[in-house]
């Protein structure tokens, strides 16, 4: 059996929506807030373990909300039609100078992050989880990419963040690589740009394939 579509996307991220659209995968958003800070240890945890735990927690919260009818399924989906529904969730952090960076809590913190990027390479660590209902089959995948920035960013971090404004507070590490103001400081990326943007196309397709094989 093929994976039932549309997917439920458990994210408000515009870039994740964009990437699914680029792949031609139909989806509808269903988002339930969780306390991400209560999950894991930002000092001791491996970044991949942390983002996987958060992505799983997001998926499980949406499953609970669907089962309790707190949120509705897409109109064409049903848990009793023999096909069910699949939920895609994801999480990402940035690691720089040995520190795990999440969404900046203020513009001042975003400026501090940008200054760090001018000194040390930054690596995104992402995880995504595909969950099927009603079977509760669940598959995970992780990805990483390393971004190097020009040293000139150290002197221009304040002006960059001023141009980005509050929008940079909505992504891990404030790293909006798709933004023209940010991209001009990038000297190299080791990895896929979609990984940096929060959703690896390769991993999306791999998870859909794995789930489809299991649902046969």
């Amino acid at each position: 059996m093929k994976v039932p579509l549309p997917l439920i996307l458990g994210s408000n991220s515009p870039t994740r929506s964009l990437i699914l659209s680029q792949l031609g995968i139909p989806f509808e958003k269903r988002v339930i807030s969780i306390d991400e800070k209560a999950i894991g240890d930002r000092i001791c945890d491996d970044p991949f373990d942390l983002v996987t735990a958060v992505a799983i927690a997001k998926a499980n919260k949406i499953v609970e909300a669907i089962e309790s009818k707190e949120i509705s399924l897409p109109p064409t989906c049903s848990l009793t039609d023999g096909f069910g529904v699949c939920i895609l969730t994801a999480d990402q952090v940035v690691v720089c100078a040995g520190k795990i960076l999440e969404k900046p809590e203020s513009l001042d913190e975003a400026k501090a992050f940008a200054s760090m990027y001018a000194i040390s390479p930054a690596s995104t660590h992402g995880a995504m989880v595909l969950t099927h209902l009603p079977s509760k089959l669940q598959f995970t995948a992780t990805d990483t990419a390393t971004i190097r920035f020009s040293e000139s960013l150290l002197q221009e971090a304040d002006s960059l963040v001023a141009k980005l404004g509050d929008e940079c507070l909505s992504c891990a590490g404030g790293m909006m690589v798709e933004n023209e103001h940010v991209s001009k400081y990038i000297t190299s990326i080791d990895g896929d740009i979609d990984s940096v943007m929060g959703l690896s196309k390769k991993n999306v397709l791999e998870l859909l394939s794995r789930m489809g094989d299991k649902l046969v």
Side-chain angles (χ1 to χ4, degrees), residues 36-204:
E36 297 182 22
K37 298 289 188 182
I39 300 170
D41 187 322
R42 273 68 182 161
I43 297 175
C44 299
D45 281 359
D46 175 86
F48 286 124
D49 292 342
L50 176 62
V51 292
T52 299
V54 173
I56 289 173
K58 291 176 180 178
N60 292 344
K61 190 70 173 179
I62 293 173
V63 167
E64 292 174 7
I66 290 173
E67 291 181 333
S68 66
K69 303 189 185 307
E70 180 182 349
I71 60 174
S72 62
L73 294 172
T76 58
C77 295
S78 170
L79 300 185
T80 58
D81 63 358
F83 294 96
V85 67
C86 279
I87 304 157
L88 182 67
T89 53
D91 192 57
Q92 184 185 63
V93 296
V94 174
V95 177
C96 185
K99 296 182 179 179
I100 292 177
L101 311 179
E102 298 180 282
K103 296 174 184 176
E105 297 183 353
S106 66
L107 293 180
D108 284 340
E109 188 169 44
K111 293 173 186 176
F113 288 175
S115 296
M116 291 172 64
Y117 302 153
I119 299 170
S120 301
S123 296
T124 57
H125 290 68
M128 69 180 72
V129 178
L130 188 65
T131 306
H132 177 259
L133 281 179
S135 70
K136 295 190 178 179
L137 285 170
Q138 197 168 68
F139 293 98
T140 66
T142 58
D143 58 90
T144 186
T146 299
I147 309 93
R148 291 174 175 81
F149 291 85
S150 167
E151 293 180 359
S152 64
L153 181 55
L154 186 61
Q155 302 300 323
E156 300 174 22
D158 287 7
S159 62
L160 171 61
V161 172
K163 291 173 183 175
L164 298 176
D166 290 346
E167 192 177 355
C168 71
L169 305 181
S170 64
C171 55
M175 188 176 290
M176 302 170 59
V177 295
E178 70 279 8
N179 184 284
E180 62 180 352
H181 299 303
V182 176
S183 61
K184 72 177 186 179
Y185 292 102
I186 296 173
T187 59
S188 68
I189 297 178
D190 296 332
D192 297 325
I193 186 66
D194 42 275
S195 290
V196 181
M197 292 171 63
L199 202 67
S200 162
K201 291 180 179 179
K202 179 179 68 176
N203 282 354
V204 170

